[in-house]
Amino acid sequence: MARLDVTETFKGITFPGHLHTQESLLYATKFNFQDTDILIVTFPKSGTTWMQEIVTLVSCKGDPVKSQTQPNWVRAPWIEQYYCPDVLKASQGPRVLTTHLPYKLLAPALQGSKAKVIYVARNPKDVIVSYYFFHKMANFLNDPGPFSEFLSSFLDGTVHYGSWFDHVKGWTGNSRNIENFLYITYEEMWEDLRGSLEKVSRFLQCPLLEQELISVQKTCSFNTMSENNMVNYTLVPQEIMDHSKGRFMRKGEIGDWVNTFSKEQSHNFDVVFASKMADSLLTFVWEA
Ligand code: A3P
């Protein structure tokens, strides 16, 4: 199967070539959801890996073995990436799935499904900065060039996976069409991890005893995850992700964007944000 090249699009959106093919994207849009599925949905760099770890741990009642022995892309594969059918064929039990696809591409497949959908959003200034540095260490992505250029592409919606604005508005604005939907933010998880874990455990109907909750909280902390090679992407060969250029588990903070955005860029961003989000009730936490 031919991998997508850099300029090739699917439904008007570009995707990282080494993981996607036209066939894999088509497979995702026609995905056969089961009512027992858990689907984690994010725009890239919004806390995907964190939620994959949380869902794994909550489902295992805090037992860290799966987290420590199975890479996140095996225990919670992205349905749009080409290896997904093989991973699912080899897996057993209820499925945890991940996607970065916008709502409009998955709406037909999700129609009538009782799958549990967890949407994680993050303040977009931190998303942009995290995505920018990810492009620098991920050799399978084009060099992002100066930050100002990357910021323009992000605002234009021409980065991989398309427009952040369409993504969050598409999923949250259509949540009433999804039978089981949980919206949570990176910032909420950061500011109140325990409360967030309780929320996820209630949503998944996986009650946790106090000791189990404590175990989940410890294993999904930034420090533990940074050291866990099943989630920190150090298992990926250097020619694909070069950790000498930057770590996947980079900073894990709220408000780190101030170290990269100039005052003018921040102001211009705020103007675009206000206009594009005028029809949305979502609010974000921009600093810790
Ligand atoms: P930074 O680059 O700002 O550090 P994704 O998994 O969607 O690609 O998102 C990656 C971002 O989530 C990175 O942000 C990473 O450090 C952060 N992250 C991952 N696990 C985390 C955790 N346990 N606590 C806080 N941030 C975490």
Side-chain angles (χ1 to χ4, degrees), residues 26-44:
L26 201 60
Y27 164 86
T29 60
K30 296 180 187 293
F31 195 80
N32 195 0
F33 286 101
Q34 298 172 4
D35 288 347
T36 49
D37 286 342
I38 300 166
L39 177 66
I40 299 165
V41 186
T42 58
F43 190 85

Side-chain angles (χ1 to χ4, degrees), residues 31 33 39 103 106-115 117 171 177-178:
F31 195 80
F33 286 101
L39 177 66
Y103 174 74
L106 276 192
L110 276 173
Q111 205 180 15
S113 169
K114 290 187 170 52
V117 177
W171 281 99
N177 301 326
I178 301 172

